[in-house]
Amino acid sequence: MREHSDTRARIQEIALRLFTEQGYEGTSLREIAEQLGVTKAALYYHFRTKDDIVASLSEDRHAEMENLIKWAQGRPRGPETRREFVLRYADSLYDSNHHAFMRFMERNQTALRDNPKVARMRDLMKGVMDILCDEGDSTAERLRRSMAIFTLHAAWFVLKDEEVSDEERKDAAVKVALDYVELPPAA
Amino acid sequence: MREHSDTRARIQEIALRLFTEQGYEGTSLREIAEQLGVTKAALYYHFRTKDDIVASLSEDRHAEMENLIKWAQGRPRGPETRREFVLRYADSLYDSNHHAFMRFMERNQTALRDNPKVARMRDLMKGVMDILCDEGDSTAERLRRSMAIFTLHAAWFVLKDEEVSDEERKDAAVKVALDYVELPPAA
Amino acid sequence: MREHSDTRARIQEIALRLFTEQGYEGTSLREIAEQLGVTKAALYYHFRTKDDIVASLSEDRHAEMENLIKWAQGRPRGPETRREFVLRYADSLYDSNHHAFMRFMERNQTALRDNPKVARMRDLMKGVMDILCDEGDSTAERLRRSMAIFTLHAAWFVLKDEEVSDEERKDAAVKVALDYVELPPAA
Amino acid sequence: MREHSDTRARIQEIALRLFTEQGYEGTSLREIAEQLGVTKAALYYHFRTKDDIVASLSEDRHAEMENLIKWAQGRPRGPETRREFVLRYADSLYDSNHHAFMRFMERNQTALRDNPKVARMRDLMKGVMDILCDEGDSTAERLRRSMAIFTLHAAWFVLKDEEVSDEERKDAAVKVALDYVELPPAA
DNA sequence: GATGAATGAGTTTTCATTCAT
DNA sequence: TATGAATGAAAACTCATTCAT
């Protein structure tokens, strides 16, 4: 009945929301189908398996992350690159709805531990850490760098109950994250 | 008739490990029973439901958190208390195996969103934020404080692949966390 | 608009092969469509149902069997006719690819037990037995006659791993089968 | 409610019957459970998978076949052994209900082609052929030997509509089978 | 002569839970 | 303190079939 089936996109949208709210394992395909107003079988017309929905969701973010990492690898390691990288990472996270996807990933690490796309994402995150850390960094320093990226991800839900605009949220996240890639440890 | 059911403790231990590795929904009672070498039905002698195992796991941590919060509430808010609170929180986390429990909680937020003990834990975490934040704090400031506690939790698995002793891990975590509660945002 | 739908024939060919290799129930229309490089829906342009494909496959063999039986009924029962019948049956089986169809039938008796064309084939086989047996034949004798026909069918796959030409296979089959319509039971 | 659960045995009995009548794929676990008067889940208490039911059914027959083959391998190849082997094979088939199992196997070759126990059975059948054939045998000769065993299996259903006692059936089968292993091809 | 999108009814399987013993 | 045997509900997935285009 619908013009030119955007069903696939709507499945992705609903799945991402439910997987994040209730967890991947806690969300059945029946639920997704019901919210969409189709039968379960329709989902299988568009995606081969439940895991496949996740895979499809990963794709954009993968591409974006690969670009970011490639950009950074073409530059000298150091404070300048780190600073700029955090800014670009924040942009790529907030200007699309990629923060929603990253939150979904964080909330479903265990459920998705065997999904190859998710494994790939873990590798990409290691690539990010490589960019932010130098060889001789202390343990505290490495932890600090990790937390910078974590902060960008977390801002969205840590501040979720506060009356704060998306703009403010992003600004706050970037401000805090930048401190942590720039400042030397207190020591 | 035996005082200290050894079995009960072993169920908790195995459950905590599996729930963390594979997720709460991804771990069946059959699996726990198998690792223990008993039947599923035996678990029901010790715990009324699967959720009950989680509840029992929460108890120690709840008590500890309540003590910590009570202590802080008896003191004036401010940098001194914040600093001391972070130190005590870190101790309470690392000197028992509570970090394992907190990690389990973080990994299973969605699956356990209806568990009353877990809801209570969320409230306690809000209590912790109350202690770390002042009324007039900016958005960035509040985010920063949250990240302090997050850092203490995260140090365990962020640094999990590195050759680092538990001691070093704790020291690094505390160092970074203190920065997060002490330093003013770059402004 | 085209006279001799090539597609129709290719569906039959692929279906016969897959139904034999994997079983009727073990072969989905999706599989057939994939091997053909069309969609499932295309199959429904050529055949009303899955069972209909089987029905269409039966047709040639039905006609052949009817002719064989009619021929035999026009002759006196007896060793002469039996001998000649076996030779003609073998020809009709090996000179087309009817042995492939008969093998498919044997492998899918249960799955197809409600298909009317298959029921008809069972009747035709009874007709064949009528031709090969006399009124007063002992149980052993009747079994022996059945096995003669069975042998013609079975030669194809009993000898499938041996390096044997189709010609040799047919000759061997006929030789063994003839013994069993001709020889009196050992007794 | 039942004394000392013979449920497992009843599952096997019903499954063997239905798998033979309707085919393995054509028989759902729901059907078996219904005929037994339990829920599907009860079947899974006794068998890990549907395939496992088949595996369990194979066991007795496997053991019997192994014994038969071992016996024959301890004797010189030749007409004497062949003759005696056929007699023993027939006994082992008819004195238990193994003919029912073999019929089930023949009717479900394709459906079960990936089941390891069934693969093992195919190997055992090859072992049987080894016993019945000599090195220099012609194609016709090898086919003839195969048909001997086939006859023992087939007698049960080839003669199923005739008013014949089990005793007579077995006698007829053995008589015909012996011809197949003893007589030289006419040529 | 075909496809894209969908459905309804079914499948095998898993799970938390119960209860008599 | 446990176990053996079972259940009811639900899960992911598959299939033959339909129909508007």
Side-chain angles (χ1 to χ4, degrees), chain D residues 54-67:
Chain D
V54 173
S56 83
L57 290 171
S58 315
E59 262 147 41
D60 288 356
R61 187 65 196 154
H62 273 170
E64 195 95 2
M65 295 269 289
E66 275 154 9
N67 286 343

Side-chain angles (χ1 to χ4, degrees), chain B residues 133-177:
Chain B
C133 296
D134 295 322
E135 275 299 301
D137 281 345
S138 70
T139 297
E141 199 60 33
R142 286 199 310 278
L143 177 57
R144 178 185 294 271
R145 311 289 202 223
S146 299
M147 296 311 294
I149 296 296
F150 235 134
T151 300
L152 294 178
H153 293 171
W156 217 258
F157 55 96
V158 165
L159 301 173
K160 75 168 170 293
D161 295 331
E162 331 224 343
E163 308 107 0
V164 157
S165 71
D166 286 7
E167 201 63 27
E168 287 177 285
R169 210 193 307 266
K170 182 183 170 187
D171 287 349
V174 168
K175 198 182 275 179
V176 177

Side-chain angles (χ1 to χ4, degrees), chain A residues 20 110 142 144 162 179-180, chain B residues 20 142 144 162 179-180:
Chain A
T20 306
T110 55
R142 286 200 310 277
R144 177 187 299 272
E162 331 224 342
D179 280 357
Y180 288 93
Chain B
T20 304
R142 286 199 310 278
R144 178 185 294 271
E162 331 224 343
D179 281 358
Y180 270 119

Side-chain angles (χ1 to χ4, degrees), chain D residues 92-145:
Chain D
S92 87
L93 209 56
Y94 286 78
D95 296 352
S96 54
N97 67 341
H98 285 183
H99 60 89
F101 173 74
M102 291 312 283
R103 191 175 161 203
F104 148 72
M105 283 276 299
E106 252 157 30
R107 291 212 167 182
N108 287 282
Q109 283 167 101
T110 55
L112 300 173
R113 69 196 184 291
D114 295 332
N115 183 306
K117 296 274 181 165
V118 172
R120 172 79 180 119
M121 182 59 88
R122 269 193 297 268
D123 287 347
L124 289 170
M125 285 310 278
K126 276 195 196 133
V128 167
M129 285 310 134
D130 260 12
I131 289 159
L132 295 182
C133 296
D134 294 322
E135 276 299 300
D137 283 344
S138 69
T139 297
E141 201 61 34
R142 286 201 309 279
L143 176 57
R144 177 187 295 272
R145 311 288 203 222

Side-chain angles (χ1 to χ4, degrees), chain C residues 1 4 6 22-23 34 36 77 139 142 146:
Chain C
M1 257 338 125
H4 67 299
D6 179 39
Q22 317 179 339
E34 254 164 31
L36 221 142
R77 230 180 274 240
T139 297
R142 287 199 310 276
S146 299

Side-chain angles (χ1 to χ4, degrees), chain A residues 32-107:
Chain A
I32 297 177
E34 255 164 29
Q35 295 225 1
L36 220 143
V38 297
T39 53
K40 273 176 293 167
L43 304 187
Y44 282 92
Y45 178 75
H46 294 281
F47 296 95
R48 274 187 19 268
T49 63
K50 193 184 179 186
D51 258 64
D52 231 52
I53 302 180
V54 173
S56 84
L57 290 171
S58 315
E59 262 147 41
D60 288 355
R61 186 64 197 156
H62 274 171
E64 194 95 3
M65 296 268 288
E66 275 154 9
N67 287 342
L68 281 166
I69 291 172
K70 213 170 288 170
W71 170 85
Q73 283 168 342
R75 310 196 72 215
R77 229 180 275 240
E80 237 357 84
T81 295
R82 284 205 290 271
R83 200 190 134 77
E84 180 66 15
F85 183 85
V86 163
L87 291 171
R88 284 167 178 251
Y89 192 97
D91 284 349
S92 87
L93 209 58
Y94 287 78
D95 296 353
S96 54
N97 68 340
H98 284 185
H99 58 89
F101 173 75
M102 291 311 284
R103 190 174 163 203
F104 148 72
M105 283 275 299
E106 254 157 27
R107 290 212 168 183

Side-chain angles (χ1 to χ4, degrees), chain C residues 96-149:
Chain C
S96 55
N97 68 341
H98 285 184
H99 60 89
F101 173 75
M102 291 312 282
R103 190 174 163 204
F104 148 72
M105 283 277 298
E106 253 157 30
R107 289 211 167 183
N108 287 282
Q109 284 166 96
T110 56
L112 300 172
R113 70 196 183 292
D114 296 332
N115 184 306
K117 295 274 182 167
V118 172
R120 171 82 181 120
M121 181 59 87
R122 268 193 296 269
D123 288 346
L124 290 169
M125 286 310 279
K126 275 194 197 135
V128 167
M129 285 310 132
D130 261 11
I131 289 160
L132 295 182
C133 296
D134 294 323
E135 274 299 300
D137 281 345
S138 68
T139 297
E141 199 60 34
R142 287 199 310 276
L143 177 57
R144 178 186 297 271
R145 310 291 200 220
S146 299
M147 295 313 293
I149 295 295

Side-chain angles (χ1 to χ4, degrees), chain C residues 169-181:
Chain C
R169 210 192 309 264
K170 182 184 170 186
D171 288 348
V174 168
K175 197 182 276 180
V176 176
L178 280 181
D179 280 357
Y180 287 92
V181 291

